Amino acid sequence: MSVPVLYLVVPCYNEQEVLRDTAEKLEQKLTRLIDVGGVDAKSRIAFVNDGSRDNTWELIRQCTERSPLFSGINLAHNEGHQNALLAGLMTVLPHADVTISMDADLQDDIHAIDLMLEKHAAGANIVYGVRENRASDTFLKRFTAESFYRAMRALGADIVFNHADFRLMDRRALTALAEYPEVNLFLRGIVPMIGLSHEIVYYTRKQRLAGDSKYPWRRMASFAWEGVTSLSARPIRMISQMGMFISFISGLMLIWSIARHFVGETIVGWTSLVVSLWFLGGLILLSIGVIGEYVAKIYLEVKRRPRYLVQEFIDGNARGKK
């Protein structure tokens, strides 16, 4: 088996504080892999600029001018992490045999790349980078993250526990991913749907090199909700089941009230009536909101708007810019 052309796909949004260090470490890693014959000399580090408002794109351009090991993909607009990652993967697909996606803050362990390539050489089409533990997280972060994965599984989403977007995908897997045209992207759930041969590599996640996380609590909650509603219709089914349960309880309460009336122990139930009305009113609003979320997703899907637009692609293997 010939050595593969590897592309490291790294989405970037306002990463000027970490980009120089990230570029240096990835360049050293890729150079070593080329020197030992682990990957082809045409391998590249592809930074994807997701509409950054700082100097991220200028730094990426400087990297491509300094070394042929770097590629730059500049999106025309900020599209979000998942769309930026997909844009990078699909843009390099014609030139790569294997891709490994990772975050720009290098919290993902770059030394796990060697083991990923070994798993691929042994026949795996997809290799998931999975956190060995969450010892470096605060209790709240660890509790909410693990609860998210458990909730996703409970709601019917087939996701890999403690896996984010640090993964290897070969050309066959990427070609299969291209067949999933949905606008509401949640790659952590879509990639396992592909199937194919897959393996897991465990690693220890590090602290950010610099700067702040691009996923504060509000965005994490939004991302979790996006994942649930993109991958599963179970929340709607749960509303139906809850409605049937409440109807059953209401029937029992009706029988109980009639029985109390005939034995002469009728009690004025003002409090229970008000509480019931508030409860049912809140449940109705919640149900409408959940259904509305799915309707909104249908609305976005049927419009078939492009998920991203590549404004510029700098890559020697692509023979120039486009």
Side-chain angles (χ1 to χ4, degrees):
M1 181 178 179
S2 60
V3 291
V5 176
L6 169 67
Y7 271 71
L8 300 175
V9 179
V10 187
C12 304
Y13 177 67
N14 294 343
E15 297 287 3
Q16 65 178 11
E17 294 179 326
V18 302
L19 199 59
R20 286 189 177 89
D21 287 336
T22 297
E24 180 181 351
K25 288 180 171 61
L26 290 179
E27 184 179 14
Q28 292 173 355
K29 184 65 178 178
L30 188 58
T31 299
R32 191 192 68 80
L33 287 171
I34 293 173
D35 289 343
V36 300
V39 297
D40 191 274
K42 293 181 179 179
S43 298
R44 297 289 184 267
I45 301 159
F47 288 119
V48 185
N49 179 43
D50 185 22
S52 298
R53 288 176 286 185
D54 60 6
N55 292 323
T56 295
W57 177 242
E58 290 305 316
L59 292 175
I60 294 173
R61 185 186 289 276
Q62 290 174 18
C63 288
T64 63
E65 293 171 351
R66 176 176 60 82
S67 170
L69 290 181
F70 291 99
S71 297
I73 301 170
N74 190 26
L75 301 187
H77 188 267
N78 175 251
E79 301 291 354
H81 179 271
Q82 297 292 278
N83 281 311
L85 176 53
L86 183 72
L89 295 173
M90 294 298 104
T91 301
V92 305
L93 174 57
H95 318 291
D97 298 316
V98 176
T99 63
I100 295 179
S101 56
M102 59 198 314
D103 292 337
D105 54 23
L106 279 199
Q107 287 186 276
D108 301 320
D109 185 7
I110 61 175
H111 299 298
I113 293 174
D114 299 73
L115 190 52
M116 286 181 162
L117 290 170
E118 289 178 13
K119 297 284 189 182
H120 171 257
N125 301 109
I126 303 171
V127 182
Y128 299 103
V130 175
R131 293 184 64 167
E132 194 166 18
N133 59 63
R134 288 185 171 268
S136 61
D137 290 346
T138 63
F139 170 79
L140 182 60
K141 172 68 173 178
R142 182 166 59 252
F143 174 77
T144 53
E146 293 182 350
S147 297
F148 160 73
Y149 286 104
R150 292 190 177 96
M152 290 291 290
R153 285 184 172 180
L155 291 170
D158 181 20
I159 63 174
V160 179
F161 194 79
N162 272 340
H163 163 70
D165 290 300
F166 184 32
R167 72 178 71 87
L168 177 149
M169 299 182 72
D170 66 7
R171 182 172 294 180
R172 183 181 180 190
L174 289 173
T175 302
L177 178 62
E179 297 299 316
Y180 289 77
E182 55 251 51
V183 174
N184 301 285
L185 277 179
F186 188 72
L187 294 175
R188 299 182 197 184
I190 294 175
V191 173
M193 292 180 184
I194 295 174
L196 298 179
S197 175
H198 59 273
E199 293 285 350
I200 289 176
V201 167
Y202 293 96
Y203 71 99
T204 300
R205 192 167 171 84
K206 302 177 181 179
Q207 297 294 329
R208 282 182 62 92
L209 291 174
D212 299 322
S213 171
K214 301 303 183 293
Y215 272 91
W217 296 111
R218 180 179 59 82
R219 288 194 65 188
M220 282 296 294
S222 175
F223 185 61
W225 181 244
E226 176 74 20
V228 170
T229 53
S230 295
L231 298 174
S232 174
R234 193 166 294 181
I236 290 182
R237 299 191 186 104
M238 289 173 64
I239 290 175
S240 300
Q241 294 166 358
M242 190 179 300
M244 290 187 289
F245 175 75
I246 292 175
S247 297
F248 175 72
I249 296 298
S250 299
L252 294 180
M253 289 296 294
L254 176 62
I255 295 172
W256 180 79
S257 299
I258 293 174
R260 299 277 291 180
H261 173 75
F262 281 110
V263 299
E265 297 181 1
T266 303
I267 300 174
V268 178
W270 184 87
T271 302
S272 60
L273 177 63
V274 171
V275 171
S276 299
L277 287 174
W278 277 93
F279 174 73
L280 291 174
L283 180 62
I284 291 170
L285 290 175
L286 173 64
S287 303
I288 293 173
V290 172
I291 295 172
E293 181 72 21
Y294 281 92
V295 172
K297 289 185 180 298
I298 295 171
Y299 172 68
L300 292 174
E301 293 291 344
V302 299
K303 287 193 295 185
R304 309 309 302 161
R305 288 178 177 174
R307 291 173 290 187
Y308 57 84
L309 176 62
V310 175
Q311 179 171 310
E312 187 174 4
F313 178 32
I314 306 174
D315 184 87
N317 294 332
R319 297 181 181 177
K321 307 176 182 180
K322 63 178 179 180

